[in-house]
Amino acid sequence: VEDFPYYKSVGYGGLPNEAMEVELDAAYMDGDTLDIGAIGAIKDFANPISIAKRLSKEKVNNMLVGYGAEKFAYDEGFESKNMLTDRAKIHYHNRQQEILQQQIKPYDGHDTVGMVCLDNDGKMTAATSTSGLFMKKQGRIGDSPISGFYVDSEIGGAAATGLGEDLMKGCISYEIVRLMKEGKHPQQACEIAVNQLDKELKERRGEAGDISVVAMNNKGEWGANISGFSFVVATDTQEPIVYLTKNINGQCIHGKASEEWLNEYMQERMKPIIKK
Ligand code: GLY
Protein backbone atom coordinates (compact mmCIF):
# COMPACT_ATOMS: atom_id res chain seq x y z
CA VAL A 1 0.00 0.00 0.00
CA GLU A 2 2.97 2.34 0.55
CA ASP A 3 3.79 1.96 -3.15
CA PHE A 4 0.24 2.49 -4.42
CA PRO A 5 0.12 6.14 -5.54
CA TYR A 6 -3.69 6.42 -5.41
CA TYR A 7 -3.84 5.68 -1.70
CA LYS A 8 -3.43 9.25 -0.58
CA SER A 9 -2.42 9.04 3.05
CA VAL A 10 0.35 6.46 3.09
CA GLY A 11 3.76 6.28 1.40
CA TYR A 12 4.16 7.33 -2.24
CA GLY A 13 1.29 9.63 -3.16
CA GLY A 14 0.62 10.50 0.50
CA LEU A 15 -0.79 13.98 1.04
CA PRO A 16 1.66 16.74 1.95
CA ASN A 17 2.05 19.05 4.93
CA GLU A 18 1.30 22.78 4.72
CA ALA A 19 4.67 23.39 3.04
CA MET A 20 3.74 20.83 0.34
CA GLU A 21 6.24 18.26 1.61
CA VAL A 22 5.35 14.61 2.19
CA GLU A 23 6.48 13.74 5.73
CA LEU A 24 5.89 10.12 6.69
CA ASP A 25 5.52 8.33 10.04
CA ALA A 26 5.78 4.56 10.59
CA ALA A 27 6.33 2.00 13.33
CA TYR A 28 6.98 -1.71 13.66
CA MET A 29 6.77 -3.91 16.77
CA ASP A 30 7.88 -7.49 17.34
CA GLY A 31 5.50 -9.26 19.73
CA ASP A 32 8.05 -11.89 20.82
CA THR A 33 10.84 -9.56 21.92
CA LEU A 34 8.75 -6.36 22.30
CA ASP A 35 11.32 -4.63 20.05
CA ILE A 36 10.03 -1.36 18.60
CA GLY A 37 11.31 0.72 15.69
CA ALA A 38 9.69 3.99 14.67
CA ILE A 39 10.31 6.96 12.41
CA GLY A 40 8.60 10.33 12.28
CA ALA A 41 8.42 13.14 9.73
CA ILE A 42 10.80 11.41 7.30
CA LYS A 43 11.04 12.93 3.81
CA ASP A 44 12.17 11.51 0.48
CA PHE A 45 12.42 7.82 1.35
CA ALA A 46 10.28 5.00 0.00
CA ASN A 47 8.73 2.38 2.29
CA PRO A 48 9.01 3.95 5.73
CA ILE A 49 7.76 0.72 7.32
CA SER A 50 10.93 -1.10 6.24
CA ILE A 51 13.06 1.63 7.83
CA ALA A 52 11.06 1.33 11.07
CA LYS A 53 11.48 -2.46 11.01
CA ARG A 54 15.23 -2.08 10.49
CA LEU A 55 15.38 0.34 13.46
CA SER A 56 13.63 -2.22 15.67
CA LYS A 57 16.75 -4.38 15.44
CA GLU A 58 18.88 -1.69 17.13
CA LYS A 59 19.54 -1.82 20.86
CA VAL A 60 19.03 1.94 21.32
CA ASN A 61 18.03 4.86 19.04
CA ASN A 62 14.85 3.01 18.08
CA MET A 63 12.82 6.09 17.23
CA LEU A 64 14.28 8.64 14.85
CA VAL A 65 12.65 11.72 13.36
CA GLY A 66 13.31 14.16 10.52
CA TYR A 67 16.92 14.55 9.44
CA GLY A 68 18.14 11.81 11.82
CA ALA A 69 15.69 9.30 10.32
CA GLU A 70 16.73 10.32 6.80
CA LYS A 71 20.44 9.96 7.60
CA PHE A 72 19.84 6.50 9.08
CA ALA A 73 17.83 5.45 6.02
CA TYR A 74 20.53 6.77 3.69
CA ASP A 75 23.37 5.07 5.61
CA GLU A 76 21.45 1.78 5.60
CA GLY A 77 20.92 1.93 1.83
CA PHE A 78 17.15 2.49 1.75
CA GLU A 79 15.72 3.82 -1.50
CA SER A 80 15.57 7.61 -1.62
CA LYS A 81 12.57 8.81 -3.59
CA ASN A 82 10.54 11.98 -4.03
CA MET A 83 7.25 10.87 -2.49
CA LEU A 84 5.21 13.85 -3.74
CA THR A 85 3.15 12.87 -6.79
CA ASP A 86 1.51 15.25 -9.29
CA ARG A 87 -1.85 13.98 -8.07
CA ALA A 88 -0.99 14.89 -4.46
CA LYS A 89 0.06 18.37 -5.69
CA ILE A 90 -3.41 18.83 -7.22
CA HIS A 91 -5.07 17.70 -3.96
CA TYR A 92 -2.91 20.25 -2.13
CA HIS A 93 -3.79 23.05 -4.52
CA ASN A 94 -7.52 22.18 -4.39
CA ARG A 95 -7.52 22.03 -0.61
CA GLN A 96 -5.89 25.47 -0.49
CA GLN A 97 -8.68 26.82 -2.68
CA GLU A 98 -11.33 25.18 -0.49
CA ILE A 99 -9.77 26.61 2.65
CA LEU A 100 -9.76 30.09 1.11
CA GLN A 101 -13.32 29.83 -0.21
CA GLN A 102 -15.15 27.84 2.45
CA GLN A 103 -12.94 28.17 5.51
CA ILE A 104 -12.85 24.42 6.04
CA LYS A 105 -10.26 23.06 8.43
CA PRO A 106 -6.96 22.19 6.74
CA TYR A 107 -6.66 19.04 8.83
CA ASP A 108 -9.64 17.06 7.53
CA GLY A 109 -8.38 13.80 6.06
CA HIS A 110 -6.21 11.04 7.50
CA ASP A 111 -6.00 7.26 6.97
CA THR A 112 -3.14 5.38 8.58
CA VAL A 113 -2.67 1.79 7.49
CA GLY A 114 -2.24 -0.44 10.55
CA MET A 115 -1.60 -4.19 10.56
CA VAL A 116 -1.56 -6.92 13.17
CA CYS A 117 -0.07 -10.24 12.06
CA LEU A 118 0.21 -13.76 13.47
CA ASP A 119 2.46 -16.37 11.85
CA ASN A 120 2.35 -20.16 11.99
CA ASP A 121 4.89 -20.23 14.84
CA GLY A 122 2.71 -17.99 17.02
CA LYS A 123 4.82 -14.90 16.51
CA MET A 124 2.85 -11.65 16.31
CA THR A 125 3.84 -8.26 14.89
CA ALA A 126 2.10 -4.91 14.52
CA ALA A 127 2.88 -1.97 12.28
CA THR A 128 1.60 1.42 11.13
CA SER A 129 2.44 3.68 8.19
CA THR A 130 1.01 7.09 7.31
CA SER A 131 1.54 10.53 5.85
CA GLY A 132 -0.51 11.81 8.82
CA LEU A 133 -2.86 14.73 8.63
CA PHE A 134 -3.19 16.52 5.33
CA MET A 135 -1.82 20.07 5.62
CA LYS A 136 -0.23 19.37 8.99
CA LYS A 137 2.52 21.65 10.32
CA GLN A 138 6.07 20.76 9.29
CA GLY A 139 7.47 18.31 11.84
CA ARG A 140 4.06 17.28 13.21
CA ILE A 141 4.03 13.64 14.27
CA GLY A 142 0.79 11.80 15.01
CA ASP A 143 0.00 8.71 17.04
CA SER A 144 1.18 6.21 14.41
CA PRO A 145 4.83 5.93 15.48
CA ILE A 146 4.10 6.58 19.17
CA SER A 147 0.98 4.86 20.43
CA GLY A 148 -0.86 3.71 17.29
CA PHE A 149 0.25 0.09 17.67
CA TYR A 150 1.04 -2.50 20.32
CA VAL A 151 1.62 -6.24 20.21
CA ASP A 152 2.60 -9.01 22.60
CA SER A 153 2.74 -12.53 21.13
CA GLU A 154 1.58 -13.91 24.49
CA ILE A 155 -1.68 -11.93 24.20
CA GLY A 156 -2.41 -10.17 20.90
CA GLY A 157 -1.99 -6.89 19.11
CA ALA A 158 -3.83 -3.76 18.02
CA ALA A 159 -3.39 -0.85 15.61
CA ALA A 160 -5.25 2.44 15.50
CA THR A 161 -6.03 5.36 13.26
CA GLY A 162 -8.04 8.54 13.43
CA LEU A 163 -7.10 11.93 14.81
CA GLY A 164 -3.61 11.27 16.18
CA GLU A 165 -3.74 14.05 18.74
CA ASP A 166 -6.82 12.47 20.36
CA LEU A 167 -5.67 8.86 19.98
CA MET A 168 -2.48 9.65 21.88
CA LYS A 169 -4.54 10.81 24.85
CA GLY A 170 -5.67 7.25 25.42
CA CYS A 171 -2.71 5.03 24.32
CA ILE A 172 -5.56 3.03 22.83
CA SER A 173 -3.62 0.21 21.15
CA TYR A 174 -1.94 -0.69 24.43
CA GLU A 175 -5.30 -0.44 26.20
CA ILE A 176 -6.86 -2.94 23.77
CA VAL A 177 -4.03 -5.43 24.38
CA ARG A 178 -4.44 -4.90 28.13
CA LEU A 179 -8.16 -5.67 27.84
CA MET A 180 -7.39 -8.84 25.83
CA LYS A 181 -4.96 -9.87 28.60
CA GLU A 182 -7.90 -9.59 31.03
CA GLY A 183 -9.67 -12.16 28.85
CA LYS A 184 -11.73 -9.93 26.57
CA HIS A 185 -12.35 -11.08 22.99
CA PRO A 186 -10.63 -8.68 20.50
CA GLN A 187 -14.03 -7.38 19.37
CA GLN A 188 -15.10 -6.62 22.93
CA ALA A 189 -11.71 -5.03 23.66
CA CYS A 190 -11.99 -2.76 20.59
CA GLU A 191 -15.51 -1.65 21.51
CA ILE A 192 -14.72 -1.02 25.18
CA ALA A 193 -11.51 0.91 24.44
CA VAL A 194 -13.01 3.11 21.72
CA ASN A 195 -16.23 3.82 23.64
CA GLN A 196 -14.24 4.67 26.79
CA LEU A 197 -11.83 7.05 25.07
CA ASP A 198 -14.58 8.68 23.02
CA LYS A 199 -16.67 9.25 26.17
CA GLU A 200 -13.73 10.55 28.18
CA LEU A 201 -12.71 12.99 25.47
CA LYS A 202 -16.27 14.29 25.04
CA GLU A 203 -16.77 14.68 28.79
CA ARG A 204 -13.48 16.43 29.43
CA ARG A 205 -12.96 18.35 26.20
CA GLY A 206 -16.42 18.64 24.67
CA GLU A 207 -15.44 16.79 21.49
CA ALA A 208 -13.59 13.73 20.23
CA GLY A 209 -11.83 13.10 16.92
CA ASP A 210 -12.26 9.93 14.85
CA ILE A 211 -11.02 6.76 16.53
CA SER A 212 -10.70 3.49 14.56
CA VAL A 213 -8.97 0.30 15.66
CA VAL A 214 -8.27 -3.27 14.60
CA ALA A 215 -7.07 -6.07 16.88
CA MET A 216 -6.25 -9.77 16.87
CA ASN A 217 -5.39 -12.15 19.71
CA ASN A 218 -2.79 -14.91 19.55
CA LYS A 219 -5.50 -17.44 18.61
CA GLY A 220 -6.21 -15.50 15.43
CA GLU A 221 -9.57 -14.17 16.67
CA TRP A 222 -10.05 -10.60 15.53
CA GLY A 223 -12.09 -7.50 16.14
CA ALA A 224 -12.44 -3.95 14.86
CA ASN A 225 -14.16 -0.71 15.71
CA ILE A 226 -13.98 1.39 12.60
CA SER A 227 -15.50 4.71 11.76
CA GLY A 228 -15.56 5.60 8.09
CA PHE A 229 -12.95 3.06 6.95
CA SER A 230 -12.89 -0.49 5.68
CA PHE A 231 -10.63 -3.22 7.03
CA VAL A 232 -9.27 -6.50 5.68
CA VAL A 233 -8.84 -9.98 7.14
CA ALA A 234 -6.68 -12.62 5.46
CA THR A 235 -5.20 -15.98 6.43
CA ASP A 236 -2.86 -18.40 4.66
CA THR A 237 -5.89 -20.29 3.39
CA GLN A 238 -8.36 -17.43 2.98
CA GLU A 239 -8.07 -14.69 0.38
CA PRO A 240 -8.26 -11.15 1.80
CA ILE A 241 -11.85 -10.17 2.67
CA VAL A 242 -12.76 -6.48 2.92
CA TYR A 243 -15.22 -5.64 5.70
CA LEU A 244 -17.33 -2.58 6.44
CA THR A 245 -18.67 -1.75 9.87
CA LYS A 246 -21.94 -0.38 11.15
CA ASN A 247 -21.72 1.07 14.62
CA ILE A 248 -25.06 0.82 16.44
CA ASN A 249 -24.94 2.44 19.89
CA GLY A 250 -21.27 1.58 20.36
CA GLN A 251 -21.67 -2.03 19.12
CA CYS A 252 -20.06 -2.95 15.81
CA ILE A 253 -21.60 -5.13 13.13
CA HIS A 254 -19.16 -6.16 10.40
CA GLY A 255 -20.32 -7.11 6.91
CA LYS A 256 -18.42 -8.19 3.81
CA ALA A 257 -18.02 -5.37 1.26
CA SER A 258 -19.90 -6.10 -1.98
CA GLU A 259 -18.18 -6.32 -5.38
CA GLU A 260 -20.05 -3.14 -6.27
CA TRP A 261 -18.64 -1.32 -3.22
CA LEU A 262 -15.10 -2.53 -4.01
CA ASN A 263 -15.36 -1.38 -7.62
CA GLU A 264 -16.71 2.01 -6.60
CA TYR A 265 -13.96 2.36 -4.00
CA MET A 266 -11.23 1.79 -6.58
CA GLN A 267 -12.92 4.02 -9.14
CA GLU A 268 -13.21 6.81 -6.59
CA ARG A 269 -9.56 6.47 -5.59
CA MET A 270 -8.29 6.42 -9.15
CA LYS A 271 -10.61 8.84 -10.93
CA PRO A 272 -8.89 11.76 -12.66
CA ILE A 273 -8.80 14.89 -10.51
CA ILE A 274 -9.05 18.38 -11.89
CA LYS A 275 -7.19 21.38 -10.60
CA LYS A 276 -9.71 23.94 -9.29
N1 GLY B 1 -3.61 8.77 12.86
C1 GLY B 1 -2.77 9.41 11.96
C2 GLY B 1 -2.30 10.72 12.36
O1 GLY B 1 -3.00 11.43 13.07
O2 GLY B 1 -1.23 11.09 11.95
Side-chain angles (χ1 to χ4, degrees):
V1 71
E2 288 180 333
D3 291 328
F4 184 60
Y6 294 98
Y7 200 80
K8 59 187 185 341
S9 53
V10 173
Y12 184 60
L15 291 177
N17 63 18
E18 66 178 12
M20 213 170 75
E21 301 160 330
V22 180
E23 288 186 332
L24 302 172
D25 302 337
Y28 172 89
M29 183 164 183
D30 179 320
D32 281 359
T33 58
L34 307 182
D35 285 334
I36 289 174
I39 52 170
I42 192 170
K43 282 190 289 209
D44 298 331
F45 276 91
N47 302 121
I49 192 61
S50 305
I51 305 167
K53 184 175 181 185
R54 169 66 191 81
L55 267 172
S56 74
K57 314 282 182 219
E58 297 289 302
K59 233 186 157 75
V60 291
N61 300 307
N62 298 114
M63 181 174 186
L64 297 177
V65 301
Y67 174 75
E70 286 150 20
K71 181 163 184 332
F72 176 83
Y74 179 81
D75 290 346
E76 291 293 319
F78 285 96
E79 182 193 348
S80 65
K81 180 170 176 172
N82 178 358
M83 302 297 272
L84 183 67
T85 59
D86 289 341
R87 195 174 171 86
K89 282 186 204 163
I90 298 175
H91 278 299
Y92 175 88
H93 170 87
N94 289 353
R95 182 58 64 98
Q96 274 190 322
Q97 298 304 312
E98 286 166 11
I99 293 165
L100 286 174
Q101 286 158 16
Q102 300 163 17
Q103 277 143 18
I104 63 165
K105 284 187 288 179
Y107 301 123
D108 292 341
H110 45 78
D111 275 289
T112 305
V113 169
M115 292 183 81
V116 182
C117 307
L118 167 66
D119 76 10
N120 286 323
D121 298 323
K123 177 181 174 138
M124 296 195 76
T125 53
T128 53
S129 182
T130 187
S131 55
L133 291 186
F134 186 18
M135 296 284 196
K136 63 191 177 184
K137 294 258 176 246
Q138 284 175 297
R140 179 262 186 195
I141 295 174
D143 60 305
S144 308
I146 299 169
S147 61
F149 62 95
Y150 197 81
V151 66
D152 178 340
S153 301
E154 292 179 10
I155 307 164
T161 187
L163 181 63
E165 283 72 4
D166 274 359
L167 285 159
M168 279 191 263
K169 294 179 176 83
C171 295
I172 195 160
S173 303
Y174 179 79
E175 174 63 6
I176 292 167
V177 176
R178 195 193 64 75
L179 286 162
M180 290 194 287
K181 189 176 185 178
E182 277 182 357
K184 300 279 186 302
H185 184 279
Q187 184 56 42
Q188 252 185 316
C190 288
E191 286 173 15
I192 294 170
V194 170
N195 294 341
Q196 259 172 6
L197 181 58
D198 184 68
K199 184 166 168 276
E200 197 115 330
L201 292 170
K202 284 178 179 155
E203 277 172 9
R204 296 207 202 183
R205 303 171 58 80
E207 59 180 352
D210 290 335
I211 305 171
S212 289
V213 296
V214 291
M216 179 165 61
N217 64 20
N218 65 357
K219 291 184 257 176
E221 296 165 333
W222 55 265
N225 193 343
I226 299 281
S227 119
F229 299 114
S230 50
F231 67 97
V232 182
V233 179
T235 72
D236 52 359
T237 53
Q238 175 206 289
E239 287 292 305
I241 296 178
V242 178
Y243 288 93
L244 302 170
T245 299
K246 272 198 196 117
N247 191 317
I248 299 168
N249 300 328
Q251 266 202 314
C252 298
I253 299 163
H254 308 305
K256 220 171 134 176
S258 64
E259 275 307 308
E260 194 189 356
W261 186 91
L262 291 170
N263 290 337
E264 268 175 28
Y265 177 88
M266 286 310 280
Q267 270 167 19
E268 180 61 30
R269 293 269 159 181
M270 298 176 72
K271 75 175 183 208
I273 48 167
I274 295 150
K275 201 167 170 182
K276 289 182 185 160

